[in-house]
Amino acid sequence: MKQSLDQSANKHYLFTSESVSEGHPDKVSDQISDAILDNMLAQDPQAHVACETMCTTGQVVIAGEVTCRGWVDVQQIARKTIAEIGYTKAEYKFEAESCGILTALHAQSQDINMGVSRATEDEQGAGDQGMMFGYATDETDNYMPLTLDLAHTLVYTLARIRKEGKQMTYLRPDSKSQVTIEYDEYNKPVRIDTIVLSTQHDENVQSDKGQCTKVTPELIKQDVIDILLPRVATRDSRYSHLLHEFLKDPQAKLLVNPTGNFVIGGPHGDTGLTGRKIIVDTYGGRGAHGGGAFSGKDPSKVDRSAAYAARWIAKHLVAAGVAHEALVQVSYAIGVAEPVSLYVNTNGTAMVGLSDTEIAQRVGELFDLRPAAIIRSLKLTQPMYQETAKYGHVGRTNEVVEKTFLDADGKEYTRKVELFTWEKLDRLDEVKAKFGL
């Protein structure tokens, strides 16, 4: 019996995913790019936008190609976004009101536009060639890998604590997390092996009595144990016990600010660029990624819209009970509406007595993956993208919110927007019927 248990344990493996906060320099860049996109789409739903942002010490550079019937104050939008993230103090060496902003936006190439625009909407061609992936797994309630879901939740919750301003008052906007989980031979999570958390912080913190205390890794670690992790433990009821067990385990590997001080951070500590966190944005390495970044691109770019559609399909397959996990790939040629290929891989977890090729064939019969059809099905001409630029583009909550935009005169106005439409299971009955479930 002991030998059998040992053999089973030998089949266990470790898997790791990371996340970064909204104050990470690359995510600052993503959010600026998507805020500009949203404000353009709010004025012109057919706007074509490819907006790239770089941010560094005291400086933001915004460049790209735009075709839009409206006009937006790019500088004002960038400063508003930076302030919302939390870069509002001169000591950060990157501050919303004082940083320089250089804009280099110009019109979209007519050669590209000819491939996209068509007289008939459904004939709209793909904005570029490429392959896009979507993934889903039933190991969490939101059909995401647990490693990434916990990594996202750590930095998201840390940012909430920072913005509440009541606990861990030394926190600054930049932070990163990494979660390693042990899986058994059936690919089920068994235990949390390691949590790594690095957060930017003030040099000193003032107590209620006015005493000034140096912020050390030991102080932050204790606050992570006492404040952060208990809040994170409420995230997913099926696996909250893993985090409670981790907190009780004296051998647990909790590494907090392992290099020591993390006072210098954000764009002052590391230059940020749009599109450098594509694995954080998607599946934490558990699924696949085609290589194209998302932020700053309007939905005519299939890098973005088709990746969302692939997630939509994968989530339907898993939620319907077709498979325990599903990886969906779709690929395109520039200027061509119909996909070049459609591929499904269930990693041997299919439950419907069909091969992956047969599953892919039925998916192709169910879902119209021409760019115009994707945009229409997922309502992608809405100004819905700034929210995707932090804490992942997938695995999020589909909801209708009221957002604020700036008009051509720089005045604020609001409108209702539906977010994360690719997370809806609105075709579930059709999928179940197609697969006899």
Side-chain angles (χ1 to χ4, degrees):
M1 182 65 179
K2 183 178 184 300
Q3 185 180 6
S4 175
L5 289 173
D6 289 344
Q7 288 174 348
S8 176
N10 287 337
K11 295 178 181 178
H12 288 209
Y13 63 92
L14 301 177
F15 191 83
T16 302
S17 295
E18 70 160 348
S19 184
V20 298
S21 73
E22 62 202 73
H24 186 281
D26 294 330
K27 283 286 127 196
V28 173
S29 296
D30 285 343
Q31 289 167 85
I32 293 171
S33 292
D34 273 339
I36 292 168
L37 169 63
D38 277 354
N39 278 271
M40 289 185 173
L41 288 175
Q43 294 187 36
D44 178 10
Q46 303 307 317
H48 287 173
V49 180
C51 180
E52 313 291 341
T53 302
M54 180 190 79
C55 56
T56 186
T57 304
Q59 183 71 53
V60 176
V61 179
I62 300 167
E65 301 79 46
V66 172
T67 301
C68 180
R69 291 193 297 266
W71 183 87
V72 300
D73 188 330
V74 170
Q75 283 208 19
Q76 188 178 356
I77 292 166
R79 294 189 192 283
K80 182 174 181 285
T81 304
I82 294 165
E84 288 171 350
I85 294 168
Y87 287 105
T88 56
K89 297 180 181 179
E91 64 213 69
Y92 297 162
K93 305 297 176 67
F94 181 81
E95 188 268 329
E97 292 303 316
S98 63
C99 66
I101 299 179
L102 174 64
T103 304
L105 295 170
H106 58 85
Q108 185 184 51
S109 162
Q110 285 302 309
D111 292 344
I112 294 175
N113 190 56
M114 284 190 300
V116 175
S117 299
R118 292 286 190 273
T120 304
E121 179 184 324
D122 283 345
E123 293 177 359
Q124 173 183 321
D128 200 354
Q129 71 176 46
M131 66 283 190
M132 300 83 209
F133 288 93
Y135 176 77
T137 172
D138 62 5
E139 71 180 52
T140 57
D141 292 340
N142 60 356
Y143 301 95
M144 290 290 289
L146 181 60
T147 50
L148 182 63
D149 195 47
L150 282 177
H152 280 325
T153 307
L154 283 166
V155 286
Y156 169 76
T157 308
L158 196 68
R160 289 289 298 272
I161 292 169
R162 170 175 61 86
K163 291 181 178 182
E164 289 165 5
K166 298 177 181 179
Q167 298 172 300
M168 303 177 76
T169 55
Y170 48 79
L171 292 173
R172 291 184 175 184
D174 192 2
S175 66
K176 301 178 74 172
S177 65
Q178 185 173 283
V179 176
T180 301
I181 288 179
E182 179 183 335
Y183 286 80
D184 64 18
E185 67 271 30
Y186 304 107
N187 298 315
K188 301 298 182 185
V190 174
R191 55 180 285 273
I192 300 171
D193 182 82
T194 307
I195 291 177
V196 182
L197 186 74
S198 296
T199 181
Q200 187 188 13
H201 59 87
D202 293 339
E203 287 193 75
N204 301 293
V205 63
Q206 199 167 36
S207 70
D208 295 337
K209 299 179 180 179
Q211 296 175 322
C212 202
T213 305
K214 183 175 175 59
V215 178
T216 63
E218 292 75 22
L219 170 63
I220 301 173
K221 183 174 182 178
Q222 195 59 53
D223 283 347
V224 166
I225 293 170
D226 295 339
I227 300 168
L228 175 64
L229 294 184
R231 286 179 62 164
V232 172
T234 63
R235 170 67 174 174
D236 188 318
S237 59
R238 286 192 294 170
Y239 293 112
S240 59
H241 67 283
L242 295 181
L243 201 45
H244 289 303
E245 290 168 6
F246 178 82
L247 284 167
K248 296 174 183 176
D249 184 359
Q251 303 301 315
K253 288 176 275 186
L254 175 61
L255 307 177
V256 177
N257 282 23
T259 61
N261 277 359
F262 187 3
V263 175
I264 299 172
H268 177 51
D270 187 13
T271 297
L273 291 171
T274 299
R276 279 207 304 202
K277 286 292 176 284
I278 57 176
I279 302 304
V280 170
D281 285 344
T282 51
Y283 307 102
R286 192 64 179 270
H289 196 292
F294 301 155
S295 289
K297 297 178 181 178
D298 73 84
S300 73
K301 281 74 171 174
V302 284
D303 275 344
R304 182 167 219 165
S305 54
Y308 292 163
R311 161 64 179 178
W312 184 46
I313 293 168
K315 186 174 179 179
H316 272 84
L317 292 176
V318 175
V322 175
H324 289 294
E325 67 174 296
L327 179 70
V328 176
Q329 185 205 57
V330 60
S331 64
Y332 295 87
I334 187 169
V336 180
E338 290 289 346
V340 172
S341 67
L342 174 64
Y343 163 83
V344 174
N345 183 354
T346 64
N347 197 26
T349 67
M351 298 180 284
V352 289
L354 298 172
S355 68
D356 288 349
T357 301
E358 291 170 318
I359 292 172
Q361 183 178 358
R362 296 193 187 192
V363 166
E365 294 167 357
L366 270 174
F367 293 91
D368 188 343
L369 290 172
R370 292 175 296 173
I374 292 172
I375 291 169
R376 186 168 54 247
S377 296
L378 299 180
K379 307 175 186 176
L380 297 182
T381 58
Q382 297 180 96
M384 61 199 301
Y385 297 104
Q386 187 176 352
E387 286 78 5
T388 68
K390 53 187 177 182
Y391 313 117
H393 291 244
V394 289
R396 306 289 297 279
T397 302
N398 169 242
E399 60 183 336
V400 176
V401 300
E402 194 167 84
K403 293 184 61 172
T404 302
F405 304 98
L406 299 175
D407 65 17
D409 297 321
K411 296 179 180 178
E412 291 188 346
Y413 66 99
T414 60
R415 59 172 285 189
K416 289 184 178 180
V417 177
E418 185 179 2
L419 304 178
F420 302 103
T421 52
W422 47 94
E423 293 298 324
K424 290 200 295 187
L425 292 171
D426 52 336
R427 302 280 301 277
L428 196 58
D429 289 343
E430 295 173 65
V431 173
K432 286 182 176 180
K434 190 71 173 180
F435 288 93
L437 297 169

